């Protein structure tokens, strides 16, 4: 017993009795649970909910739905070494066991909601970066393995990944889980494994089509000028820091994809909405 | 005793409670690979961090794989050491290790003797599937040790030895995560730490991250130089270990072959450190007798216990950790030092060669001796008494380079006048040997009687701390202690500091079992039976010597007649004794 949440439960249990407390929640996970609801959701903050509540209730009733009316994609629970729950888990009652069964965990009680603009490969990479920093370095799988996992994910989000890399990711993740010395290493591949399980298509797209559907992986972004909409004002060409845009006044401009460093300046400069990201 | 029944690879086995899966499997003939796990059984060296994860096995009902080296057997456990899951995990972990490794075996000091290399061969590694950032550390040189942290696999064996066995703590894990490595703190060079250059870290390192400074090139260069003469000396412990490098069984005594090989290599004069070990007994013994007599006469200022001073790692230790007690150890130089001082004076004069033109080389089981050679006080006018010291392993390499069939080499004798020795000298190679050799001479000198029996079994053995009371009839009941491992030496120093040290005479060696397991010896890879075989061989060599007491060595008697006068003479003091420095301040100032 060493966290505030546990202490906070005690006075209530003393006041109202253990029977009352255990009447709340599910058979195996009694009482209530505090989550830190965050991410792409209208109402962020700390919430205390009875065990057994569904994700749908949390997100749409308590959380007030996804920001900007975007489409729900996933919710990451359990902190950096947790996993992702997706649409198919929206109606699963949440307790310790169901989260583990779904490939995540209760962990620190973090609950980060993601929408269609979040790239799941980038998310996995983000969380892994955290474990790479936190690894103590004592055991090989965590010290070297997580570093290599992170490097492979970076390769993929940089558009240089191969299908073989995806196989390596899978094997390496499960070996790290199987062999790391402490809890940190044993759970660190969870974000990779759970995003691979639930969003395999996105991984494959990154690798085979060099495409990030969320548009989050900068290296995979492609800026295009729509010749129909381009008025040939030259604003973009003048603003481009690397001279990737060519074209003459009043004629449609073109972006040289090999030169483009995907800085987005042209996109912001164009007053006619002629530049799009694919 | 409680026993546990379990199944390993479909075979039933019963083991005492507390046995690890690794040991249980081992006794069934199932060899689970290991890297970090290390133990020199019965010799106080061990390391069980469970960190490398090479030894993982599958245990039925367990969520993840279990490290066999630190997982205890449980009743009815079902273990698979060779399931596809375990093999794949082991291979992947090995590949990860190799993905942050230079993999330049051909230029590596451990080539052919590396545990990582052997494992990669056994596991059939043909490519390393993971590429990425590699650790980059500068290669560090010190007088004795080359440290290439790029090859460190973080097994932490060296750290355990340096901290727990030697109580020095010069190297340990620094940084965390991927940059983690075992190194001296604050990015220092070993020479700027409390390192005593015992080299035991080298002796246990499974890879080429730690190795001895190599002088083989210099030796071959000087042998080929017509303008200089070369004289070589060979330490006692070398003769019971060198054979291993040529496929001979541990404990083979190859004294005569060594003399023959050194001659074949082309040294002009092939002498024996055993000769100067006898000389050490004369000097150290005389000093000890002087102190005992003063002590018995009630002198309150005399430093008792007298301590041996022939192990240079131990000398470094008291200079760095206990400089205030540096008057307790004998002022006698090490046998290497005494030999060097004699060869560069008496012998150089005898052959009419200036000391600068006489290159003196030593073959030692030791890497601390390399450091000792560089001590300014052990030389004259900037010319060292011993130009360089090579290890047993380096000698083996030279012999191989010179195309010598060592195993079938006919034996030869050491040259005169610095080549004759007694059994008292050869036992310098083991823990308790210097003590026993000193007792053989001191007892006869103190009583004026011939010893009925020269064997002092009381001080023999392989325990880290041994004590005995040796009655010297009519003089004293001599309380002696023999220790190896500097942690044990520290304990004695603390007793002296507290004023409750019960001993009159203490022998200290830094290495496990003494010089037989010095850091320059052929690698034992954790096999204690090798050390035990060398130990037995030393006593066998002693028994087989016609003379077994240092003072009976005719070449010792003659050197006193011809050159030194008598033990403890002014000349002997000048050449055969030394003084110690306070090297502690230096570190305190830095802090
Ligand atoms: S799994 Fe634990 S012990 Fe191993 S390196 Fe990571 S944090 Fe350290
Ligand atoms: S994104 Fe930046 S680099 Fe690329 S074309 Fe536009 S302005 Fe130039
Ligand atoms: S340490 Fe071993 S594996 Fe590494 S380069 Fe040297 S011999 Fe090869
Ligand atoms: S040589 Fe001895 S003291 Fe120095 S780092 Fe190695 S084990 Fe420690
Ligand atoms: S230097 Fe050698 S013994 Fe020390 S941790 Fe590294 S690999 Fe292990
Ligand atoms: S015990 Fe022997 S081999 Fe070890 S450091 Fe001392 S002198 Fe050298
Ligand atoms: S040998 Fe078991 S973890 Fe290293």
């Amino acid at each position: 017993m060493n966290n505030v949440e546990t202490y906070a439960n005690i006075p209530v249990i003393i006041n109202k009795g253990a029977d009352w407390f255990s009447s709340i929640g599910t058979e195996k996970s009694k009482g209530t649970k505090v989550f830190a609801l965050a991410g792409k959701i209208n109402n962020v903050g700390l919430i205390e909910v009875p065990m057994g509540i569904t994700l749908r209730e949390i997100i749409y009733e308590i959380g007030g739905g996804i920001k900007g009316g975007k489409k729900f994609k996933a919710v990451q629970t359990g902190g950096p070494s947790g996993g992702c729950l997706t649409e198919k888990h929206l109606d699963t009652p949440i307790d310790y066991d169901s989260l583990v069964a779904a490939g995540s965990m209760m962990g620190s009680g973090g609950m980060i909601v993601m929408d269609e603009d979040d790239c799941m490969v980038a998310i996995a990479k983000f969380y892994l970066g955290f474990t790479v920093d936190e690894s103590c370095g004592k055991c090989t799988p965590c010290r070297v393995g997580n570093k290599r996992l992170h490097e492979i994910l970076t390769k993929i989000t940089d558009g240089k990944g191969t299908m073989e890399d995806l196989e390596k990711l899978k094997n390496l993740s499960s070996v790290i889980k199987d062999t790391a010395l402490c809890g940190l290493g044993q759970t660190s591949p969870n974000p990779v494994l759970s995003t691979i399980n639930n969003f395999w298509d996105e991984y494959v797209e990154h690798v085979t089509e060099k495409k990030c559907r969320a548009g989050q992986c900068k290296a995979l972004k492609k800026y295009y000028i729509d010749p129909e909409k381009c008025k040939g004002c030259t604003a973009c060409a003048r603003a481009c820091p690397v001279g990737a845009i060519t074209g003459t006044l009043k004629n449609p401009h073109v972006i040289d994809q090999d030169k483009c460093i995907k800085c987005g300046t042209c996109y912001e400069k164009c007053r006619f909405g002629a530049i799009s990201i694919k | 005793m409680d026993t546990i029944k379990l199944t390993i690879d479909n075979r039933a086995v019963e083991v005492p409670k507390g046995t690890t899966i690794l040991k249980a499997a081992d006794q069934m003939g199932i060899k689970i690979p290991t890297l970090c796990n290390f133990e020199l059984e019965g010799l106080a060296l061990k390391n069980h961090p469970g960190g490398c994860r090479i030894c993982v096995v599958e245990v039925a009902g367990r969520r993840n794989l279990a490290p066999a080296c630190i997982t205890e057997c449980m009743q009815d456990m079902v273990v698979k050491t060779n399931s596809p899951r375990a093999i794949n995990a082991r291979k992947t972990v090995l590949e990860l290790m190799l993905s942050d490794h230079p993999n330049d075996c051909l230029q590596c000091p451990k080539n052919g003797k590396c545990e990582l290399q052997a494992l990669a061969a056994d596991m059939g590694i043909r490519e390393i599937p993971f590429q990425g950032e590699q650790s980059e550390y500068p290669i560090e040189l010190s007088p004795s040790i080359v440290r290439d942290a790029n090859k460190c696999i973080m097994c932490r064996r060296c750290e355990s030895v340096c901290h727990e066995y030697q109580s020095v703590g010069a190297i340990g894990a620094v940084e965390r995560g991927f940059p983690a490595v075992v190194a001296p703190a604050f990015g220092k060079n070993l020479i700027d730490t409390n390192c005593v250059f015992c080299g035991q870290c080298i002796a246990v390192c499974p890879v080429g991250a730690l190795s001895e400074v190599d002088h083989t090139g210099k030796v071959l260069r000087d042998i080929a130089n017509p303008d200089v003469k070369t004289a070589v000396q060979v330490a006692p412990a070398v003769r019971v270990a060198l054979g291993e490098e040529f496929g001979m069984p541990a404990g083979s005594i190859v004294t005569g072959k060594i003399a023959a090989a050194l001659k074949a290599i082309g040294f002009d004069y092939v002498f024996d450190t055993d000769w100067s070990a006898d000389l050490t007994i004369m000097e150290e013994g005389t000093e000890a007798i002087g102190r005992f007599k003063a002590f018995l006469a009630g002198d309150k200022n005399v430093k008792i216990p007298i301590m041996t001073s022939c192990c240079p790692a131990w000398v470094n230790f008291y200079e760095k950790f206990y400089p205030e007690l540096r008057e307790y150890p004998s002022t006698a130089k090490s046998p290497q030092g005494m030999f060097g001082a004699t060869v560069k004076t008496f012998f150089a004069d005898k052959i009419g060669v200036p000391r600068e033109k006489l290159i003196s080389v030593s073959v030692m089981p030791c890497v601390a001796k390399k450091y000792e050679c560089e001590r300014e006080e052990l030389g004259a006018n900037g010319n060292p008494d011993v130009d360089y010291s090579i290890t047993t392993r380096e000698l083996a390499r030279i012999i191989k380079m010179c195309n010598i069939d060592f195993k079938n080499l006919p034996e030869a004798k050491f040259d005169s006048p610095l080549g004759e020795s007694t059994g008292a000298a050869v036992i310098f190679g083991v823990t308790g040997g210097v003590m026993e050799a000193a007792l053989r001479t001191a007892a006869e000198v103190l009583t004026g009687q011939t010893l009925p029996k020269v064997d002092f079994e009381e001080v023999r053995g392989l325990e880290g701390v041994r004590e005995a009371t040796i009655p010297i009839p009519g003089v004293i009941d001599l309380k002696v202690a023999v220790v190896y491992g500097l942690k044990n030496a520290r304990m004695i120093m603390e007793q002296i500091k507290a004023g409750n040290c019960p001993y009159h005479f203490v022998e200290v060696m830094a290495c496990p079992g003494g010089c037989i397991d010095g850091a320059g010896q052929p690698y034992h890879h954790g096999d204690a039976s090798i050390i035990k075989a060398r130990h037995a061989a030393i006593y066998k060599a002693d028994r087989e010597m016609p003379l077994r007491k240092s003072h009976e060595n005719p070449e010792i008697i003659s050197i006193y007649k011809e050159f030194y006068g008598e033990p403890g003479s002014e000349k002997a003091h000048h050449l055969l004794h030394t003084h110690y420095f306070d090297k502690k301040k230096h570190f305190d100032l830095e802090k």
Side-chain angles (χ1 to χ4, degrees), chain A residues 20-33 49-53 94-95:
Chain A
W20 171 83
F21 188 75
S22 14
S23 73
I24 307 171
T26 63
E27 186 164 349
K28 280 200 179 150
S29 306
K30 308 266 182 228
T32 63
K33 173 74 196 152
V49 292
M51 291 283 191
I53 191 172
I94 292 179
D95 62 18

Side-chain angles (χ1 to χ4, degrees), chain B residues 198 310-313 365-366 368-369 509-511 514-515 518-519:
Chain B
C198 68
C310 44
C311 168
C366 180
K369 294 273 170 33
M509 294 290 159
C511 298
C515 305

Side-chain angles (χ1 to χ4, degrees), chain A residues 134 147-148 168 178-179, chain B residues 53 85 99 129 133 176:
Chain A
E134 287 308 306
K147 174 89 177 165
R148 297 295 177 244
K168 283 182 196 171
D178 241 3
T179 57
Chain B
R53 316 306 274 187
R85 179 174 164 212
S99 77
E133 191 183 325
R176 35 191 306 230

Side-chain angles (χ1 to χ4, degrees), chain A residues 132-141 143-145 147-148 151-152 168 171-172 175 177-181 186, chain B residues 49-53 63-65 85 88-89 92 96-97 99-100 129-133 153-154 176-178:
Chain A
V132 168
D133 285 345
E134 287 308 306
S135 165
C136 81
K138 187 174 175 187
C139 71
T140 318
R143 182 182 68 246
V144 191
K147 174 89 177 165
R148 297 295 177 244
E151 285 168 342
I152 297 173
K168 283 182 196 171
N171 179 53
L172 188 50
V175 168
K177 246 178 113 90
D178 241 3
T179 57
L181 191 150
Q186 285 160 15
Chain B
C52 76
R53 316 306 274 187
R63 186 173 42 85
N64 57 355
L65 298 174
R85 179 174 164 212
N88 173 59
T92 305
L96 285 173
M97 224 176 252
S99 77
D100 184 27
F130 309 108
Q131 285 93 35
E133 191 183 325
I153 56 164
M154 284 287 288
R176 35 191 306 230
F178 185 74

Side-chain angles (χ1 to χ4, degrees), chain B residues 220 222-224 228-232 260-270 398 402 404:
Chain B
L220 289 170
D222 287 339
I223 285 174
V228 298
K229 292 282 177 205
T230 51
V232 64
L262 292 169
K263 288 178 179 180
I265 290 165
F267 282 102
D268 296 304
Y269 305 100
V270 176
I398 294 179
C402 291
I404 295 165

